[in-house]
Amino acid sequence: MKLITPALLLAAGVICTPAYAEQVVPNFTRGTITATTETSTKIIETIRQVEYTTGTSYTVTGTNINIPGTPAPGTSYSIMDQGAPFQFSETTLGPGVAKETWIDRTTEQKSTTNSISVFTQ
């Protein structure tokens, strides 16, 4: 006959012991959570726009100027009322770069959001 050692009896008692669950009840009545979020955004933009013309344009404008029905380079223009103020502009634009636009801008935005949550039981 074999002898049962006390360690073996203890192990058998632990393995065979029933486990019981207890209800967990929080022990707080109220609380708050606060949070702060800070964001920062920086946008750097570079815009380069070049407009080209492929033909030729001719423009004549003015006040107190006699402009014939079909203006063209080399046309003679005359003042209508001698001695009165006048204005005259004649522009010839050939093929090539007509206009360039360069824009460099930086936009920075910073924001802070504060939030609070209140809970009770």
Side-chain angles (χ1 to χ4, degrees):
M1 179 160 162
K2 292 187 177 183
L3 296 174
I4 299 178
T5 62
L8 186 58
L9 286 174
L10 179 63
V14 169
I15 293 173
C16 295
T17 304
Y20 298 101
E22 291 290 328
Q23 184 177 6
V24 177
V25 178
N27 58 1
F28 63 88
T29 56
R30 65 185 174 98
T32 60
I33 297 175
T34 58
T36 300
T37 304
E38 294 181 357
T39 59
S40 177
T41 305
K42 183 176 185 178
I43 300 172
I44 300 172
E45 296 176 278
T46 301
I47 300 170
R48 302 288 185 256
Q49 180 179 350
V50 180
E51 296 178 20
Y52 297 91
T53 59
T54 56
T56 302
S57 69
Y58 178 74
T59 307
V60 175
T61 62
T63 57
N64 194 24
I65 299 292
N66 184 19
I67 299 175
T70 317
T75 302
S76 292
Y77 301 98
S78 60
I79 297 175
M80 293 177 6
D81 184 6
Q82 296 293 327
F86 71 95
Q87 180 179 346
F88 179 73
S89 174
E90 180 180 37
T91 306
T92 302
L93 181 62
V97 176
K99 178 180 168 184
E100 287 188 62
T101 304
W102 291 42
I103 300 172
D104 294 313
R105 73 178 159 208
T106 301
T107 306
E108 293 187 50
Q109 181 178 359
K110 293 182 181 183
S111 65
T112 302
T113 303
N114 294 313
S115 62
I116 186 168
S117 297
V118 178
F119 50 93
T120 59
Q121 179 183 354

